Amino acid sequence: MMVGPFPPPVHGLATTNAAVRSHLEALGAEIRTINTAASSLDRSWLARFGRLPSALRGWARLATMRGLHRATIYLSVSGGLGQVYEAAFIALARLRGMRVFVRHASFAYIDAPTRLARILIALTGPSAVHVTQSQGMADRLQTIYGIPLIIPISNAVLYPQGEITSICVRRELRVVGFFSNLSAEKGVFDFLDLMTAIEAEKLPLQAKLAGLYQDAQTERTVHTRLKNLHGARYLGPVYGTDKEDFLSGIDVLVFPTRYKNETEAKVNHEAMSHGIPVIAYGRGCIPEIVGPDCGMVIDPTEPFVPAALAQIKIWLNDPTAFEAASRAAAQRFAETSAQNERRWQMLLSDLTGNSEILIGRPLSKQD
């Protein structure tokens, strides 16, 4: 049983859940899904309250479904009041005698611990398996909440690895890209500020933006800003081959996220797997993914544009250094994926009931 948001709408947590489901289905697992997704990306209170009917249907389904004793529930935990819904699912799953796997998908309650998160974690019980996206995230969760069993698995394992070839390595910086849901908290206005500074200094760069708008106000503001930028284009949401074309058409990913729930950010892995260096704010797990050899991580308390602009100038003036950063980005993604693959296979084996390697067993950092 998988509980959490699935597309649509498209956002990082929903697409990650869908990818996990696809991996389990490929192993022949029978997956029953309770989709708790909101109807849109709108973050208003009304939109969040709109999740209640789907949650009620999910609780009723979980309460009445037969044959759940010792079955598995895999649930994604959000960063705010959505944990009220999720805590109820966990409590009900425990009452039904299910094996509990919890994926932590937010840094909000790590950066600012909450009573609600403590209640939810207590409800999971001592034998639950908790999944994070990095060792640093696991260490902080364990310190704050005293969780006995945490397995760090980077989402890099969910994305295909390509060979590092001359095709994916960038040799010259010409196009900077922004690829995310378009919102202030994901940094779209910081990206536009950066492009304004780039054009003011007459640097020979173009810009491409892709993604869904979070709301109508953001769409209007971005369109107005784009009219004053000569070298920036918005391409809309991109999926499948359109996404591959977008990634093939940019040389650097700029990701000035201010999102309090940010963990790794799927876009960083997707960019680096294509040999694209990343300039990002150091939210969540991002400092554990992006190194100085393959991009730049900026302290979230510092202004984004001056630091990002300085790095871009370095790469423009030194194509050899930029090519090295591109090659390092692809290499870093491959290493991250390989380092996490064994743990990922252990988790899949436990989720499908083929073993109980993890349930109730403390994990060492060597596992």
Side-chain angles (χ1 to χ4, degrees), residues 238-253:
V238 292
Y239 310 107
T241 57
D242 289 337
K243 181 170 68 175
E244 289 298 312
D245 290 343
F246 175 83
L247 291 168
S248 297
I250 67 171
D251 303 306
V252 168
L253 176 72

Side-chain angles (χ1 to χ4, degrees), residues 34-35 37 50-64 89:
I34 294 177
N35 187 358
R51 293 178 60 194
L52 181 58
S54 63
L56 288 171
R57 290 191 296 270
W59 294 331
R61 187 178 171 199
L62 188 59
T64 58
F89 278 112

